[in-house]
Amino acid sequence: MQLVEKKDGFEIWQGNRILLAHSPKNPCFYVGRGEETVEMYRGNFQMEDYLTERIPLREAVKEETAQPGVCRYRFQDRLLVEIAVCGDTATLHISGQADAGNRVWIRINGEKEEAVYGCGEQMSYFNLRGRHFPLWSSEPGVGRDKSTYMTWRCDVENKSGGDYFNTNYPQPTYVSSRRYFLHADTTVYADFDFRHEAYHELSFWGIPGQIRIQEADDFLSLMEKVTAYFGRQPRLPEWIYRGAILGLQGGTKRVFDLVEQSLEKGIPVAGIWCQDWEGKRETSFGKRLQWEWRWDEKWYPGLSEKIAEYEKKGIRFLGYINPYLVKDTPLYREGKENGYFAVDGRGGDYLVDFGEFDCGVVDFTNPDAYEWFKGMIKKNLIDFGLSGWMADFGEYLPTDVSLFNGESAMVEHNHWPVLWAKCNYEALEETGKLSELVYFMRAGGTGSQRYCPLLWAGDQCVDFSIHDGLASVICAALSAAVMGNGLHHSDIGGYTSLYENVRTKEVFLRWAEMAAFTPVMRTHEGNRPDTNFQYYDDEDTMREFARLTRIHVALTPYLKDLVEENAVRGIPVQRPLFFHYENDPQTYQIQTEYLLGEDLLVAPVYLSGKDEWEAYLPEDEWVHLWSGREYRKGKIKVAAKMGEIPVFYRKASRYRTLFENIAGR
C-alpha cells in the first residue's frame, strides 16, 4: 500500500487502485450528532437514531509529527487522523476533538463489480454488496424475512421476527474481493453500508479509534493475516472425531436408554450432550432450562457414575451454561450478596426477562465477578466431569445497566460475547484442559476467533426457509469463515419450532447429510421435542443416520488435517469457492455451496421435494462422490436422493483413495 499526499488532501493506494481518498470536493470523513433510542425485548433490539447534524469535513490541515512514516491531518478541529502505511497495511488512528459530535462516517472507495463479505456471521447474504448491515449483537429473529407469515407473526406477538441483518455475532470487519480486509477497532453500534457503487460508507455511534486495512496477494494469504490479527481457534479434541454428538434430554434413564439404542443401531457416538443436566422448566415457548449452573441430582441421578462409565467406552458427556443466573436460586443469592451482577442506574437489582423467568447479569467487567464465574465453570462443569458444553447467549446485555468498570453499556454490548468466550477459554486453559474439552458458542464479536473453539449457527427454524432454515447455515459458515472462525457447525434439523412449523423427517435427513461434511455432527431435539421429528423416531432414520455418521468418521484423516491447518494458518475448514478459484467470477456470488478443504465441493440440498440438484463446478477435474462420474467446469445436474448429498472431489486429490472408499466403490 502507498500513501500519496496531495495539495489539498491525500490518497491511499492499493496497487493501481485507490482505497481511501480525501479532497475538499469528495471528503472521506463526516461527523455529526444523533439521539438514539434503544428498546430490548428478550434479546431483540429496536434501534432508532434521530440525526440532528451531519457535516462533511472538507478541510484537512497537515500537522507535523515526530513519528517517521506517520502523517497527521486535522479535520476542521473535529477529527484528528494519523495515517501510517507500512508494507501491506494502512492504519488510521482517529481521535475526536472538542466539537467532534457523537456520530462518524467514513467512506472507503468501492468498485461496481466488487464483492464484500463478513461483518461477523451473516445468515441471509454472503456477498454484502447492495445492502447495509447494522452491527449489533442480538437474537437473530425467527424467520428473518419480513415477507413471510412466520416473521410477521413473531414480530406482532413477541417482537422477535428479525431481519436479514440480525445476528448473534456482528463484527465491524469486512473482506473485499480486492483481496484486503478492513477492521474498525470499536465496539460501538455501527452500520456498514455497501449500497453505493463508488464507495462503502461505514458509520459509527462514536469515534471508531482505529481503522486497519491489510492486503494480500491471494485469499489464503489474506486469511492468514486476518487470523494472525484476531487470533486462531485451537484444535478440536481427539474424541470429537469418533462420531456424532447426540443432543438428548429428559433425565438419566431416558438419555442413556436412547444412547444404547443408538449404539445398537450402529450409530458412532462421540458424545452425549444434555442441555438440561442442570434441570428444566416449562414455558409457553417450550421446554427451557433451570438457569443455575450445577448438576440437578433429582433430574439426573447417578450422572457422575454414568459419565465415568461412558468415558471408558470412548463417549464423552457435555452440558450447558450461559452467563446469567435465574433469580432466587442459591448461586444467584451468592452473586447478589457479593455484588457480582450488573445493576440499574440507582445501584439496585437489574433483572432481564428471558421469557417467563428473570435473571441477573453477571458483570464481567468486575474482576471478582469474572473470577467467581470462571471458578464456577471449573468446579461445577470441568471438575464434575463434563467434556464440553454449549456456552450459550451473551447477546442480551441491556443498554441501560450500570457496569463495574464505569463504561457505557452501549459500548460494552458488542464486547460482551467476547468477554463471555474469554471466561470459558481461561477456565480450560488454567485447568490444562484446552486440548481435551470443547465448548461451542453462537454469540461473538471481535476477538472471538481466539476464544471460541467451535462456533454454532444458532437457533434456526426447523424447515427449508431460505433466511432461517437449512440454507442459512451454509451462509453462516462461509461468512464466519472469512472472519477467521474456521470451525463451525449447526443443530442438525434446526431448533426453533413455533406455531404450525415442525421438523419433518426430510428436514432432519437433509440437514444430517450436510452435517456429515462439516467439522462436527451434533443433533438437537429442539425447543419442542415432543412434536418434532427426532432421529430415533423410526428404524429407517436411525439406519440412515448411522450411515451418514460413519461417513463423517471415515473423513477423519482429512478433517483432522483441515483442523490442523485452521489452527496453524487460520485457513477455515469450510471455505467459499473463490478461495481456491479466484479467477472464476461466478464463485464470488455462490453462497449455497462450499469447499470442505481444497478437495471436496459440497452442494447441499436445501429445498424440499428434490431428487435432482443443480450445482456449479469451477474449472477443475471433479468426480461425483456417489457415482464416480467425472465433470469439469459449469452448471450440472446430478441425482440427489436422500442420503446422497451432491459432493464432488478433485480427481488430483491426494485423498482420492479415502474418498473412493467412503463412496463404497
Side-chain angles (χ1 to χ4, degrees):
M1 288 189 183
Q2 183 181 6
L3 175 65
V4 177
E5 298 181 69
K6 305 179 80 67
K7 182 179 180 181
D8 54 0
F10 59 84
E11 296 172 345
I12 297 176
W13 285 73
Q14 179 199 15
N16 61 355
R17 297 184 291 187
I18 297 175
L19 258 180
L20 185 71
H22 171 80
S23 69
K25 185 178 180 180
N26 293 298
C28 59
F29 292 100
Y30 296 72
V31 296
R33 296 185 183 279
E35 299 172 2
E36 71 266 15
T37 302
V38 181
E39 295 182 6
M40 183 188 83
Y41 182 72
R42 296 179 181 176
N44 300 279
F45 288 82
Q46 182 68 38
M47 315 287 290
E48 295 184 2
D49 194 26
Y50 181 75
L51 194 63
T52 59
E53 182 180 55
R54 175 178 162 118
I55 302 170
L57 302 184
R58 300 186 183 281
E59 297 178 9
V61 178
K62 186 179 179 184
E63 297 185 348
E64 295 299 321
T65 173
Q67 296 176 272
V70 176
C71 293
R72 178 186 296 161
Y73 294 91
R74 186 176 297 276
F75 290 84
Q76 299 174 205
D77 291 324
R78 293 176 182 264
L79 287 184
L80 186 65
V81 181
E82 290 189 347
I83 304 174
V85 176
C86 181
D88 62 4
T89 305
T91 306
L92 284 70
H93 293 277
I94 305 169
S95 55
Q97 304 301 288
D99 198 21
N102 61 0
R103 300 289 183 267
V104 174
W105 294 263
I106 304 173
R107 289 183 175 179
I108 308 296
N109 277 37
E111 296 179 351
K112 183 177 180 180
E113 302 302 322
E114 181 182 6
V116 177
Y117 312 94
C119 283
E121 182 188 40
Q122 296 293 333
M123 289 168 277
S124 284
Y125 299 103
F126 182 39
N127 182 2
L128 311 181
R129 209 71 163 101
R131 295 175 179 85
H132 75 107
F133 291 82
L135 301 177
W136 186 257
S137 183
S138 70
E139 285 279 5
V142 181
R144 307 180 70 257
D145 181 352
K146 296 303 187 187
S147 68
T148 63
Y149 169 76
M150 173 68 76
T151 304
W152 170 81
R153 187 167 175 182
C154 287
D155 277 339
V156 170
E157 295 188 8
N158 293 297
K159 303 180 182 180
S160 61
D163 212 330
Y164 72 88
F165 52 80
N166 292 120
T167 176
N168 307 107
Y169 182 171
Q171 185 174 314
T173 311
Y174 70 82
V175 169
S176 168
S177 59
R178 291 172 58 175
R179 298 173 184 80
Y180 75 85
F181 80 91
L182 180 147
H183 172 67
D185 190 14
T186 182
T187 57
V188 302
Y189 178 89
D191 191 321
F192 281 20
D193 191 339
F194 303 107
R195 291 175 291 186
H196 306 274
E197 286 189 359
Y199 57 85
H200 314 313
E201 185 165 84
L202 319 179
S203 64
F204 306 91
W205 290 7
I207 308 297
Q210 177 180 292
I211 303 292
R212 180 185 182 89
I213 308 172
Q214 190 168 9
E215 65 176 344
D217 293 331
D218 56 70
F219 286 106
L220 297 184
S221 299
L222 187 62
M223 286 310 305
E224 290 186 276
K225 295 177 181 183
V226 167
T227 54
Y229 185 68
F230 294 118
R232 292 172 181 155
Q233 295 169 295
R235 298 162 183 82
L236 293 171
E238 287 291 322
W239 58 263
I240 214 164
Y241 299 102
R242 295 174 190 156
I245 298 173
L246 302 181
L248 302 169
Q249 52 193 329
T252 303
K253 186 178 188 315
R254 180 180 187 274
V255 165
F256 289 95
D257 282 352
L258 284 170
V259 173
E260 287 303 316
Q261 290 178 36
S262 302
L263 293 171
E264 289 171 7
K265 298 301 180 183
I267 299 173
V269 180
I272 308 159
W273 173 54
C274 295
Q275 65 171 2
D276 65 343
W277 76 289
E278 74 290 345
K280 66 171 185 174
R281 62 174 60 235
E282 297 283 346
T283 71
S284 62
F285 180 73
K287 292 184 178 180
R288 301 292 298 276
L289 308 176
Q290 175 64 9
W291 290 18
E292 192 189 33
W293 313 121
R294 53 186 172 186
W295 165 43
D296 187 323
E297 300 180 44
K298 293 181 179 179
W299 191 231
Y300 278 92
L303 181 57
S304 57
E305 290 80 9
K306 283 291 186 182
I307 290 174
E309 175 189 342
Y310 277 80
E311 186 167 342
K312 290 179 182 177
K313 300 178 182 180
I315 299 173
R316 299 301 185 100
F317 188 88
L318 298 84
Y320 175 98
I321 191 172
N322 68 50
Y324 312 98
L325 285 164
V326 68
K327 183 183 178 184
D328 293 333
T329 57
L331 285 176
Y332 173 85
R333 288 192 290 271
E334 181 183 340
K336 181 173 166 38
E337 289 170 5
N338 287 283
Y340 292 157
F341 295 118
V343 296
D344 64 22
R346 298 180 180 179
D349 292 350
Y350 194 109
L351 296 173
V352 179
D353 174 14
F354 280 91
E356 301 169 37
F357 59 95
D358 296 331
C359 296
V361 181
V362 179
D363 187 348
F364 289 132
T365 71
N366 179 342
D368 292 337
Y370 182 91
E371 291 299 322
W372 172 70
F373 207 83
K374 188 194 337 178
M376 188 191 310
I377 294 173
K378 293 178 181 179
K379 178 182 177 182
N380 293 358
L381 280 69
I382 298 175
D383 292 349
F384 182 69
L386 301 193
S387 291
W389 51 87
M390 175 184 279
D392 203 2
F393 287 95
E395 311 93 337
Y396 277 50
L397 183 71
T399 58
D400 57 347
V401 296
S402 293
L403 299 171
F404 180 87
N405 67 353
E407 188 66 80
S408 165
M410 284 294 296
V411 174
E412 286 291 348
H413 177 86
N414 280 346
H415 185 218
W416 213 250
V418 184
L419 288 176
W420 172 223
K422 186 180 180 183
C423 185
N424 285 269
Y425 183 91
E426 289 182 356
L428 265 63
E429 187 177 46
E430 292 169 11
T431 53
K433 300 287 187 179
L434 198 56
S435 63
E436 300 175 38
L437 311 186
V438 68
Y439 56 92
F440 45 100
M441 305 185 69
R442 67 176 190 175
T446 303
S448 285
Q449 293 87 341
R450 175 184 176 187
Y451 298 122
C452 177
L454 179 61
L455 204 62
W456 115 86
D459 297 342
Q460 274 71 32
C461 282
V462 292
D463 59 23
F464 291 111
S465 60
I466 298 301
H467 291 272
D468 199 22
L470 176 56
S472 68
V473 170
I474 309 167
C475 185
L478 294 178
S479 61
V482 299
M483 294 291 91
N485 301 277
L487 300 177
H488 188 280
H489 76 304
S490 61
D491 299 331
I492 296 177
Y495 168 80
T496 302
S497 175
L498 287 177
Y499 313 123
E500 297 78 27
N501 188 28
V502 295
R503 181 197 293 159
T504 64
K505 179 176 178 177
E506 182 188 20
V507 166
F508 178 85
L509 285 174
R510 284 302 190 192
W511 215 303
E513 66 183 20
M514 179 192 69
F517 293 90
T518 65
V520 173
M521 290 184 76
R522 178 180 56 80
T523 68
H524 198 317
E525 292 184 320
N527 66 309
R528 293 179 176 174
D530 298 337
T531 57
N532 282 272
F533 184 85
Q534 308 295 345
Y535 78 89
Y536 47 75
D537 279 351
D538 65 38
E539 293 282 332
D540 175 65
T541 303
M542 292 190 81
R543 184 168 52 251
E544 183 58 26
F545 186 59
R547 172 182 167 271
L548 292 170
T549 307
R550 288 195 297 271
I551 289 171
H552 179 73
V553 172
L555 283 168
T556 293
Y558 184 58
L559 289 174
K560 288 179 74 171
D561 286 350
L562 299 181
V563 170
E564 178 69 16
E565 189 175 25
N566 183 65
V568 174
R569 297 180 59 200
I571 309 300
V573 175
Q574 290 172 266
R575 307 169 187 176
L577 273 59
F578 61 79
F579 269 28
H580 292 283
Y581 300 94
E582 297 189 7
N583 295 325
D584 185 339
Q586 294 193 61
T587 63
Y588 291 83
Q589 307 304 324
I590 293 174
Q591 69 173 53
T592 52
E593 299 179 13
Y594 59 89
L595 293 170
L596 188 68
E598 182 180 3
D599 294 329
L600 283 178
L601 187 149
V602 185
V605 178
Y606 56 83
L607 297 175
S608 178
K610 303 293 182 180
D611 56 13
E612 188 178 59
W613 196 250
E614 185 175 271
Y616 177 78
L617 302 178
E619 181 60 58
D620 216 321
E621 291 183 286
W622 296 101
V623 181
H624 183 227
L625 183 64
W626 313 112
S627 68
R629 183 176 175 182
E630 296 185 12
Y631 296 90
R632 294 194 69 90
K633 179 181 178 179
K635 287 186 178 181
I636 63 164
K637 281 190 177 181
V638 294
K641 69 178 184 179
M642 199 75 73
E644 293 191 357
I645 177 176
V647 175
F648 306 83
Y649 63 85
R650 289 196 314 113
K651 186 177 180 179
S653 171
R654 65 187 179 95
Y655 301 93
R656 180 175 177 176
T657 301
L658 173 68
F659 300 147
E660 289 175 343
N661 290 337
I662 286 173
R665 295 194 307 279

Coordinates of all heavy atoms in Angstrom, one line a residue, residues 175 218-235 449-450 477-487 561-576 579-580:
V175 N -14.2 -8.3 4.3 CA -13.2 -8.8 3.4 C -13.7 -8.4 2.0 O -14.8 -8.7 1.6 CB -13.0 -10.3 3.5 CG1 -12.2 -10.8 2.4 CG2 -12.4 -10.6 4.9
D218 N -3.3 -13.2 -2.3 CA -4.4 -14.2 -2.6 C -5.2 -14.4 -1.3 O -4.8 -13.9 -0.2 CB -3.8 -15.5 -3.1 CG -2.8 -16.1 -2.1 OD1 -3.2 -16.5 -1.0 OD2 -1.6 -16.1 -2.4
F219 N -6.3 -15.1 -1.4 CA -7.2 -15.2 -0.3 C -6.7 -16.0 0.8 O -7.0 -15.8 2.0 CB -8.6 -15.6 -0.8 CG -9.4 -14.6 -1.5 CD1 -9.5 -14.6 -2.9 CD2 -9.9 -13.5 -0.8 CE1 -10.2 -13.6 -3.6 CE2 -10.6 -12.5 -1.5 CZ -10.7 -12.6 -2.9
L220 N -6.0 -17.1 0.5 CA -5.4 -17.9 1.6 C -4.4 -17.1 2.4 O -4.4 -17.2 3.7 CB -4.8 -19.2 1.0 CG -5.8 -20.1 0.3 CD1 -5.0 -21.4 -0.1 CD2 -7.0 -20.5 1.2
S221 N -3.6 -16.3 1.7 CA -2.7 -15.5 2.5 C -3.4 -14.4 3.3 O -3.0 -14.0 4.4 CB -1.7 -14.8 1.5 OG -0.9 -15.7 0.8
L222 N -4.5 -13.9 2.7 CA -5.3 -12.9 3.4 C -5.9 -13.5 4.7 O -5.9 -12.9 5.7 CB -6.4 -12.4 2.5 CG -7.2 -11.2 3.1 CD1 -6.3 -10.0 3.3 CD2 -8.4 -10.9 2.1
M223 N -6.3 -14.8 4.6 CA -6.9 -15.4 5.8 C -5.8 -15.6 6.9 O -6.1 -15.5 8.1 CB -7.5 -16.8 5.5 CG -8.8 -16.7 4.8 SD -10.0 -15.6 5.6 CE -10.1 -16.3 7.2
E224 N -4.6 -15.9 6.5 CA -3.5 -16.0 7.4 C -3.3 -14.6 8.2 O -3.0 -14.6 9.4 CB -2.2 -16.4 6.7 CG -2.2 -17.8 6.2 CD -0.9 -18.3 5.7 OE1 -0.7 -18.0 4.5 OE2 -0.1 -18.9 6.4
K225 N -3.4 -13.5 7.4 CA -3.3 -12.2 8.0 C -4.5 -11.8 8.9 O -4.3 -11.3 10.0 CB -3.1 -11.2 6.9 CG -1.7 -11.4 6.2 CD -1.5 -10.4 5.0 CE -0.2 -10.7 4.3 NZ 0.1 -9.8 3.3
V226 N -5.7 -12.2 8.5 CA -6.9 -11.9 9.3 C -6.7 -12.6 10.6 O -6.9 -12.1 11.7 CB -8.1 -12.4 8.6 CG1 -9.3 -12.5 9.5 CG2 -8.4 -11.5 7.4
T227 N -6.4 -13.9 10.6 CA -6.3 -14.7 11.9 C -5.1 -14.4 12.7 O -5.1 -14.6 13.9 CB -6.4 -16.2 11.6 OG1 -5.4 -16.6 10.6 CG2 -7.8 -16.5 11.0
A228 N -4.0 -14.0 12.0 CA -2.8 -13.5 12.8 C -3.2 -12.3 13.6 O -2.7 -12.1 14.7 CB -1.7 -13.2 11.9
Y229 N -4.1 -11.5 13.1 CA -4.5 -10.3 13.8 C -5.5 -10.6 14.9 O -5.4 -10.1 16.0 CB -5.1 -9.3 12.8 CG -5.4 -7.9 13.4 CD1 -4.4 -7.1 13.9 CD2 -6.8 -7.5 13.5 CE1 -4.7 -5.8 14.5 CE2 -7.1 -6.3 14.1 CZ -6.1 -5.5 14.6 OH -6.4 -4.2 15.1
F230 N -6.6 -11.4 14.6 CA -7.6 -11.6 15.6 C -7.4 -12.8 16.5 O -8.0 -12.9 17.5 CB -9.0 -11.8 14.8 CG -9.5 -10.6 14.1 CD1 -9.6 -10.6 12.7 CD2 -9.8 -9.5 14.8 CE1 -10.1 -9.5 12.0 CE2 -10.2 -8.3 14.1 CZ -10.4 -8.4 12.7
G231 N -6.5 -13.7 16.1 CA -6.3 -14.9 16.8 C -6.9 -16.1 16.1 O -7.7 -16.0 15.2
R232 N -6.4 -17.3 16.5 CA -6.8 -18.5 15.8 C -7.4 -19.5 16.8 O -7.0 -19.6 17.9 CB -5.6 -19.2 15.1 CG -5.1 -18.3 13.9 CD -3.9 -18.8 13.3 NE -3.5 -17.9 12.2 CZ -2.2 -17.8 11.7 NH1 -1.3 -18.4 12.3 NH2 -2.0 -16.9 10.7
Q233 N -8.4 -20.3 16.3 CA -9.0 -21.3 17.1 C -8.1 -22.4 17.4 O -7.3 -22.8 16.6 CB -10.3 -21.8 16.4 CG -11.4 -20.8 16.1 CD -12.4 -21.3 15.2 OE1 -12.2 -21.6 14.0 NE2 -13.6 -21.5 15.7
P234 N -8.2 -23.0 18.6 CA -7.4 -24.2 18.9 C -7.9 -25.4 18.2 O -9.0 -25.4 17.6 CB -7.6 -24.3 20.5 CG -8.9 -23.7 20.7 CD -9.1 -22.6 19.7
R235 N -7.1 -26.5 18.3 CA -7.6 -27.7 17.6 C -8.7 -28.4 18.4 O -8.9 -28.2 19.6 CB -6.4 -28.7 17.6 CG -5.2 -28.2 16.8 CD -3.9 -29.0 17.1 NE -2.8 -28.4 16.4 CZ -2.1 -27.4 16.7 NH1 -2.4 -26.7 17.8 NH2 -1.1 -26.9 16.0
Q449 N -12.5 -15.2 17.7 CA -11.7 -16.1 16.9 C -10.7 -16.9 17.8 O -10.6 -18.1 17.7 CB -10.9 -15.4 15.8 CG -11.7 -14.8 14.7 CD -12.2 -13.4 15.0 OE1 -12.2 -13.0 16.2 NE2 -12.6 -12.7 14.0
R450 N -10.1 -16.2 18.7 CA -9.2 -16.9 19.6 C -9.9 -17.6 20.7 O -9.4 -18.7 21.2 CB -8.2 -15.9 20.2 CG -7.3 -16.4 21.2 CD -6.4 -15.4 21.9 NE -5.5 -16.0 22.9 CZ -4.8 -15.3 23.7 NH1 -4.7 -14.0 23.7 NH2 -4.0 -15.9 24.6
A477 N -21.8 -20.3 7.9 CA -20.5 -20.9 7.9 C -19.5 -20.2 7.1 O -18.3 -20.0 7.4 CB -20.5 -22.4 7.5
L478 N -19.9 -19.7 5.9 CA -19.0 -19.0 5.0 C -18.6 -17.6 5.5 O -17.5 -17.2 5.4 CB -19.6 -18.9 3.6 CG -19.8 -20.3 2.8 CD1 -20.4 -20.1 1.5 CD2 -18.4 -21.0 2.7
S479 N -19.6 -16.9 5.9 CA -19.3 -15.5 6.4 C -18.5 -15.6 7.7 O -17.5 -14.8 7.9 CB -20.6 -14.8 6.7 OG -21.4 -15.4 7.7
A480 N -18.7 -16.6 8.6 CA -17.9 -16.7 9.8 C -16.5 -17.1 9.4 O -15.5 -16.7 10.0 CB -18.5 -17.8 10.7
A481 N -16.4 -17.9 8.3 CA -15.0 -18.4 7.9 C -14.2 -17.2 7.5 O -13.0 -17.2 7.8 CB -15.2 -19.4 6.7
V482 N -14.7 -16.3 6.7 CA -13.9 -15.2 6.2 C -13.5 -14.2 7.4 O -12.6 -13.4 7.2 CB -14.5 -14.4 5.1 CG1 -14.8 -15.3 3.9 CG2 -15.8 -13.7 5.5
M483 N -14.2 -14.4 8.5 CA -13.8 -13.6 9.7 C -12.8 -14.3 10.6 O -12.4 -13.8 11.6 CB -15.1 -13.3 10.6 CG -16.1 -12.4 9.9 SD -15.5 -10.6 9.8 CE -14.8 -10.7 8.1
G484 N -12.4 -15.6 10.2 CA -11.4 -16.3 10.9 C -12.0 -17.4 11.8 O -11.2 -17.9 12.7
N485 N -13.3 -17.7 11.7 CA -13.9 -18.7 12.5 C -14.0 -20.0 11.6 O -15.1 -20.2 11.0 CB -15.2 -18.3 13.0 CG -15.1 -17.0 13.9 OD1 -14.8 -17.1 15.1 ND2 -15.4 -15.9 13.2
G486 N -13.0 -20.8 11.5 CA -12.9 -21.9 10.6 C -13.5 -23.1 11.1 O -13.6 -24.1 10.3
L487 N -14.0 -23.2 12.3 CA -14.7 -24.4 12.9 C -16.1 -24.0 13.2 O -16.3 -23.2 14.1 CB -13.9 -24.9 14.1 CG -12.5 -25.3 13.9 CD1 -11.8 -25.7 15.2 CD2 -12.3 -26.4 12.9
D561 N -6.6 -33.0 9.2 CA -5.6 -32.2 8.5 C -6.2 -30.7 8.3 O -5.4 -29.8 8.4 CB -5.3 -32.8 7.1 CG -4.4 -34.0 7.3 OD1 -3.9 -34.3 8.4 OD2 -4.2 -34.7 6.3
L562 N -7.5 -30.6 8.0 CA -8.1 -29.3 7.8 C -8.1 -28.5 9.1 O -7.9 -27.3 9.2 CB -9.5 -29.4 7.2 CG -9.6 -30.1 5.9 CD1 -11.0 -30.2 5.4 CD2 -8.7 -29.4 4.8
V563 N -8.4 -29.2 10.2 CA -8.5 -28.5 11.5 C -7.1 -28.1 11.9 O -6.9 -27.0 12.5 CB -9.1 -29.5 12.6 CG1 -8.9 -28.9 14.0 CG2 -10.6 -29.7 12.3
E564 N -6.1 -28.9 11.6 CA -4.7 -28.5 11.9 C -4.3 -27.3 11.1 O -3.7 -26.3 11.6 CB -3.8 -29.7 11.6 CG -2.3 -29.4 11.8 CD -1.9 -29.3 13.2 OE1 -2.7 -29.7 14.1 OE2 -0.8 -28.7 13.5
E565 N -4.7 -27.2 9.8 CA -4.4 -26.1 9.0 C -5.1 -24.8 9.6 O -4.6 -23.7 9.5 CB -4.9 -26.3 7.6 CG -4.4 -25.3 6.6 CD -4.8 -25.6 5.1 OE1 -5.7 -26.4 4.9 OE2 -4.1 -25.1 4.2
N566 N -6.3 -25.0 10.1 CA -7.0 -23.9 10.7 C -6.3 -23.4 11.9 O -6.2 -22.1 12.1 CB -8.5 -24.3 11.1 CG -9.3 -23.2 11.6 OD1 -9.6 -22.2 10.9 ND2 -9.7 -23.3 12.9
A567 N -5.8 -24.3 12.7 CA -5.1 -23.9 13.9 C -3.7 -23.2 13.7 O -3.3 -22.3 14.3 CB -4.9 -25.1 14.8
V568 N -3.0 -23.7 12.6 CA -1.7 -23.2 12.3 C -1.7 -22.0 11.4 O -1.0 -21.0 11.7 CB -0.8 -24.3 11.7 CG1 0.5 -23.8 11.3 CG2 -0.7 -25.5 12.7
R569 N -2.6 -22.0 10.4 CA -2.5 -20.9 9.4 C -3.8 -20.1 9.4 O -3.8 -19.0 8.8 CB -2.4 -21.5 8.0 CG -1.1 -22.3 7.7 CD -1.1 -22.8 6.3 NE -1.2 -21.7 5.3 CZ -1.5 -21.9 4.1 NH1 -1.8 -23.1 3.6 NH2 -1.6 -20.9 3.2
G570 N -4.9 -20.6 10.1 CA -6.1 -19.8 10.1 C -6.9 -20.0 8.8 O -7.8 -19.2 8.5
I571 N -6.7 -21.1 8.1 CA -7.4 -21.4 6.8 C -8.7 -22.2 7.3 O -8.5 -23.3 7.8 CB -6.6 -22.1 5.8 CG1 -5.3 -21.5 5.6 CG2 -7.4 -22.3 4.5 CD1 -5.4 -20.1 5.0
P572 N -9.9 -21.7 7.0 CA -11.1 -22.4 7.6 C -11.3 -23.7 6.9 O -10.9 -24.0 5.8 CB -12.2 -21.4 7.2 CG -11.7 -20.6 6.0 CD -10.2 -20.5 6.2
V573 N -12.0 -24.6 7.7 CA -12.4 -25.9 7.2 C -13.4 -25.8 6.0 O -13.2 -26.4 5.0 CB -12.9 -26.8 8.3 CG1 -13.4 -28.1 7.8 CG2 -11.8 -27.0 9.4
Q574 N -14.5 -25.1 6.3 CA -15.5 -24.8 5.2 C -15.1 -23.4 4.5 O -15.0 -22.4 5.2 CB -16.9 -24.7 5.8 CG -17.4 -26.0 6.3 CD -18.7 -25.9 7.0 OE1 -18.7 -25.8 8.2 NE2 -19.8 -25.9 6.3
R575 N -15.0 -23.5 3.2 CA -14.4 -22.3 2.5 C -15.3 -21.9 1.3 O -15.9 -22.8 0.7 CB -13.0 -22.7 2.0 CG -12.1 -23.2 3.0 CD -10.8 -23.8 2.4 NE -10.0 -24.4 3.4 CZ -8.9 -25.1 3.2 NH1 -8.4 -25.2 2.0 NH2 -8.3 -25.6 4.2
P576 N -15.4 -20.6 1.0 CA -16.0 -20.2 -0.2 C -15.3 -20.7 -1.4 O -14.0 -20.8 -1.3 CB -16.1 -18.7 -0.1 CG -15.0 -18.3 0.9 CD -14.9 -19.5 1.8
F579 N -11.9 -19.0 -2.7 CA -10.6 -19.1 -2.0 C -9.6 -19.9 -2.9 O -8.4 -19.7 -2.8 CB -10.8 -19.9 -0.7 CG -11.1 -18.9 0.5 CD1 -11.6 -17.7 0.3 CD2 -10.7 -19.3 1.8 CE1 -11.9 -16.8 1.4 CE2 -10.9 -18.5 2.9 CZ -11.5 -17.2 2.7
H580 N -10.1 -20.9 -3.7 CA -9.2 -21.7 -4.5 C -9.4 -21.4 -6.0 O -8.6 -22.0 -6.8 CB -9.4 -23.1 -4.2 CG -8.9 -23.5 -2.8 ND1 -7.6 -23.7 -2.5 CD2 -9.6 -23.7 -1.6 CE1 -7.5 -24.0 -1.2 NE2 -8.7 -24.0 -0.7

